[in-house]
Amino acid sequence: MIKREIEKRQIPDFFVNDGKKITNKEEWEEHRKRVLDLFLGEEYGYLPPKIEPSIRLEEQAINFAGKAKWESVFFTFKKGTKRRTVRAELILPRGKKSPVFLAIDFLKESPNKYLPVEEILDSGFGIFKLCYESVTRDNGDFENGLCALFEGGKEKYGKIAIWSYMASICMDYLMTREDVDSKNVAIIGHSRLGKTALLTSAIDNRFVLTCVNDSGCCGASVSRGKVDGNEKIYDIVKTFPYWFKREYALYAGKENTLPFDQHMLLSLVAPRNVIIGGAKEDVWADNEGQFLSCHLASYAWELYGKSGLIHDGKMPEVGEVLTAGELGFYLREGTHFLSRDDWKIYISKFREILDNEIRE
Ligand code: GCU
């Protein structure tokens, strides 16, 4: 099925440099810089240079029956006369050095329908939650929030890159915390924030696990060969032009001219762990395209002597969870959402990573 699908979608082999197939880790590590450059240069835009924030903490009274410690973290960035503050929430199991989920979240409040705080804590994980609109609003205003501090505005980058910029700064902060096991931080995002989590991890290699939920078009699913009902570049740049670098819109309807496809973004995460989550009824996100992307990206893991997606060549059935390799994919029942069922899969993989670490 897979070979036919790749041919049908006309996806070229992008593990090639100057006409020569990449065959080892060293060649890939050289080549991956060019691949990343293409993604930033053509699609998401380059991230602005990091500004060192000043940090203020505020302890919250809510502690989940005494199980947790909750601190709001205020990052203040200054440039010239302008200053902007971004707020994030650090919720850690009390009295333990904990592995953490860095959750790029839609909603301000915690817990919320996408973020089951207590269940996550009870599974032994802390949470660093960043509400994406605290960074900059999800619209075309490039004077809003952090964007106001960066030169070039929408000419230079899209908002996904800015959310991603802040996620990396959150990781910088986690590395300073004694109560955080900063070697074990997973990043998670759903939908547009799944795209953000994936981009972040492609750029920043400090995440031990990347959970990319229902990210679809311009996230984990390949852009070539979409069918009716799948979101295409044309659709996404029409509704959300400001998520991307402006020129990316030129690829609408011309997917075959892209010098990459989305599976190469996935491959930039190798050899670390990543899971691509899909929901059966989320046709918009193109689950076949996400599965294919995992299959194609697996080559990067193989170059490190690791297994990418372990599968039998067929699109998985609903309910099948293919997370035995470092690159995982699953398809659950239901619609576009970051549900408890998704969290269970991510948590269980994270637990497995930690258990393996102890054994090694
Ligand atoms: C829209 C958009 C998707 C995106 C989704 C979301 O449906 O077209 O690309 O993933 O919103 O973020 O919820």
Side-chain angles (χ1 to χ4, degrees), residues 1-2 5-12 14-15 39 43-44 198 215-227 230-233 248 255-256 258 260-267 276 283-297 329:
M1 165 257 169
I2 293 223
E5 192 61 24
I6 295 167
E7 277 164 21
K8 196 168 92 199
R9 293 197 184 223
Q10 298 180 21
I11 305 173
F14 289 110
F15 288 100
F39 274 106
E43 184 168 353
Y44 303 101
L198 179 56
S215 65
C217 182
C218 303
S221 98
V222 285
S223 301
R224 285 169 172 80
K226 300 278 189 204
V227 296
N230 300 154
E231 182 174 29
K232 303 175 188 64
I233 296 179
Y248 185 58
E255 285 76 4
N256 285 343
L258 277 167
F260 51 75
D261 210 316
Q262 291 302 121
H263 63 285
M264 295 309 285
L265 190 63
L266 249 177
S267 72
I276 306 302
V283 176
W284 192 234
D286 181 14
N287 287 308
E288 287 74 17
Q290 303 202 91
F291 172 63
L292 204 59
S293 191
C294 294
H295 166 76
L296 290 166
F329 176 84

Side-chain angles (χ1 to χ4, degrees), residues 106 190-193 195 214-217 231 236 240 243 284 336:
F106 280 97
H190 166 61
S191 210
R192 67 201 67 183
L193 304 180
K195 308 184 212 293
D214 299 349
S215 65
C217 182
E231 182 174 29
I236 206 165
F240 305 104
W243 284 356
W284 192 234
H336 186 75

